Amino acid sequence: MLFVVPDREAAAYFQNDLQNLNPSKEIHLFPASFKKPYHLDETENANVLMRAEILNIISNTPLLGHLIVTYPDALAEKVINKRSLQQNTFFIKAGERLDTQFINELLVTYDFEKTDFVYEPGQFAIRGGIVDIFSYAHELPYRIELFGDEVENIRTFDITSQLSQEEVNQVSIIPNVQTKLLEEDRQSFISFLPEENTQIWWKEDIEASVDIIDRYFAKADENFEALMQEAGGTQVVFSPTTLFETKAG
């Protein structure tokens, strides 16, 4: 079920209410990436992670029973299409073989940064037979322990204490969807959801949300034109129609 409420603040309150009513379920929030479109310094990294995590959940796990809360600004941003996301998702499973040189090259291609210790999404570290990866598809980093070239075990861990949290059987690694795969076709988040067994609930009438999305696009278009002027007419970023929804769409 997808719940669409007027804005980010309302979404946070509604998510909390749903969590209190359903303590055994994880209630997902699908946020906007930007405070302002085309302002790179206005990107909220935590929100980019949350968006990628939800796309990964929808793409790779059964959706039946999942509850997602969002708002028009978040729906205004298009997402990578499901086929491209699936084709660019790499799975690491316990008991399978993993070459450290290969995973190093793959993660660099996926726009991950190699560090001594991971502390934010998009980083990885390799120390002997231990590979730490902070995936864009999960809120906690993973520690993969190798025995030779075989994955002996996989655990999530806390970045502050470095202590293990939970053992898992499989890890899904996806690229930074904010910077990679931009040349792939993009689609609306609603069309990313399965056609069957999906219900959408609107707190206000749909037209009010569509108007907000249209105003968001107009602002993105304005900021895009300003960037074009600064760049002397050279297109340095993708056009608004590629990245954002419009009322007509």
Side-chain angles (χ1 to χ4, degrees), residues 52 85 88-90 109-112 136 173-181:
L85 183 63
N88 288 277
T89 300
F90 182 73
T109 301
Y110 275 14
D111 204 24
F112 280 68
Y136 290 101
I173 308 296
I174 64 175
N176 183 347
V177 294
Q178 194 68 23
T179 61
K180 294 295 183 181
L181 308 181

Side-chain angles (χ1 to χ4, degrees), residues 233-249:
T234 302
Q235 185 169 329
V236 294
V237 292
F238 287 91
S239 67
T241 54
T242 300
L243 302 179
F244 302 101
E245 295 290 337
T246 65
K247 181 183 288 189

Side-chain angles (χ1 to χ4, degrees), residues 1-142:
M1 292 189 182
L2 178 70
F3 300 92
V4 184
V5 299
D7 53 42
R8 172 60 189 262
E9 184 177 9
Y13 279 116
F14 191 66
Q15 179 194 26
N16 186 66
D17 289 342
L18 284 179
Q19 195 67 74
N20 289 334
L21 292 171
N22 300 272
S24 62
K25 282 184 174 291
E26 182 178 4
I27 312 300
H28 304 287
L29 175 65
F30 187 75
S33 298
F34 300 98
K35 295 178 183 176
K36 298 178 182 178
Y38 290 113
H39 286 239
L40 298 182
D41 57 340
E42 296 286 349
T43 302
E44 300 189 82
N45 290 334
N47 289 358
V48 173
L49 169 65
M50 291 167 69
R51 287 173 68 90
E53 182 179 7
I54 291 174
L55 294 181
N56 183 63
I57 289 171
I58 296 171
S59 184
N60 295 301
T61 65
L63 193 65
L64 187 63
H66 286 304
L67 304 177
I68 304 171
V69 182
T70 191
Y71 49 99
D73 284 6
L75 296 179
E77 292 180 53
K78 292 183 179 180
V79 300
I80 186 65
N81 68 78
K82 189 178 294 187
R83 175 186 54 80
S84 295
L85 183 63
Q86 290 175 337
Q87 289 178 348
N88 288 277
T89 300
F90 182 73
F91 294 96
I92 301 174
K93 299 180 181 179
E96 293 190 346
R97 300 169 74 89
L98 181 68
D99 180 76
T100 54
Q101 182 175 351
F102 167 78
I103 194 63
N104 182 92
E105 294 174 355
L106 176 75
L107 292 172
V108 170
T109 301
Y110 275 14
D111 204 24
F112 280 68
E113 175 191 5
K114 190 173 185 179
T115 60
D116 293 331
F117 299 94
V118 303
Y119 55 87
E120 64 180 14
Q123 296 180 332
F124 74 100
I126 300 177
R127 301 183 302 278
I130 296 177
V131 181
D132 289 345
I133 304 175
F134 205 148
S135 172
Y136 290 101
H138 197 269
E139 61 185 8
L140 289 176
Y142 295 102

Side-chain angles (χ1 to χ4, degrees), residues 117-118 127 129-134 140-146 151 153-159 161-164 166 168 171:
F117 299 94
V118 303
R127 301 183 302 278
I130 296 177
V131 181
D132 289 345
I133 304 175
F134 205 148
L140 289 176
Y142 295 102
R143 176 158 293 154
I144 301 159
E145 296 185 10
L146 302 174
V151 178
N153 58 65
I154 307 171
R155 295 185 177 89
T156 58
F157 68 94
D158 181 85
I159 58 174
S161 67
Q162 294 289 302
L163 296 177
S164 297
E166 179 184 11
V168 297
V171 174

Side-chain angles (χ1 to χ4, degrees), residues 37-38 73 76 210-226 240-241 244-247:
Y38 290 113
D73 284 6
V210 172
D211 286 341
I212 294 174
I213 291 172
D214 209 42
R215 290 197 298 271
Y216 193 97
F217 180 87
K219 185 62 178 178
D221 193 48
E222 178 185 327
N223 291 341
F224 175 76
E225 291 300 328
T241 54
F244 302 101
E245 295 290 337
T246 65
K247 181 183 288 189

